[in-house]
Amino acid sequence: MKEAYQVLISPHITDKTVKKSYDRLNDAYTYVFRVALKVNKFEIKKAIESYFGVQVSNVNTLIMRGKVKRAQLRTKITTGKLPNWKKAYVKLKPGQKISEFEGMG
């Protein structure tokens, strides 16, 4: 079993994720995290539950493909690629909330 700091890299906080974080119909919160590429949903669930002390309903993951960037050096144009990374949507059980994310949005 991996430790929480090996699984979770950082929360992925954007305008879109903050706006979509609360589901009024089910009274459930969804948080988005950047996670390590090699972890699975079970490891993400256990890391969130142990680190934040909440109960997780389900976890959805996707791999974000790295963008291709072009850079112009003095006399030539080069291309490079940013690394791929994994995003996890973590939905908590109704009534559960992560207190560290209070006041965002």
Side-chain angles (χ1 to χ4, degrees):
M1 185 72 190
K2 295 181 181 179
E3 297 292 329
Y5 68 89
Q6 294 173 325
V7 175
L8 303 174
I9 296 173
S10 67
H12 187 69
I13 300 172
T14 62
D15 291 338
K16 192 174 182 180
T17 60
V18 170
K19 185 178 177 183
K20 301 275 185 182
S21 68
Y22 182 65
D23 181 15
R24 293 180 191 269
L25 185 63
N26 297 328
D27 188 36
Y29 283 86
T30 302
Y31 298 100
V32 183
F33 292 92
R34 273 185 117 142
V35 296
L37 269 174
K38 300 287 183 175
V39 297
N40 57 28
K41 292 179 182 183
F42 179 75
E43 291 172 334
I44 295 168
K45 180 179 179 179
K46 289 299 176 189
I48 295 288
E49 288 177 346
S50 68
Y51 190 75
F52 293 109
V54 294
Q55 295 176 346
V56 175
S57 174
N58 66 342
V59 177
N60 293 327
T61 61
L62 63 120
I63 294 177
M64 300 295 293
R65 301 294 174 195
K67 293 182 178 179
V68 175
K69 295 282 189 170
R70 291 178 51 151
Q72 183 173 1
L73 301 175
R74 290 186 180 190
T75 58
K76 62 180 178 178
I77 296 175
T78 61
T79 60
K81 183 180 173 296
L82 295 176
N84 298 338
W85 56 282
K86 192 175 215 179
K87 187 192 298 190
Y89 288 89
V90 179
K91 185 174 183 182
L92 303 182
K93 291 190 176 178
Q96 297 283 315
K97 186 188 300 187
I98 297 177
S99 61
E100 284 82 358
F101 296 107
E102 283 295 310
M104 294 192 183

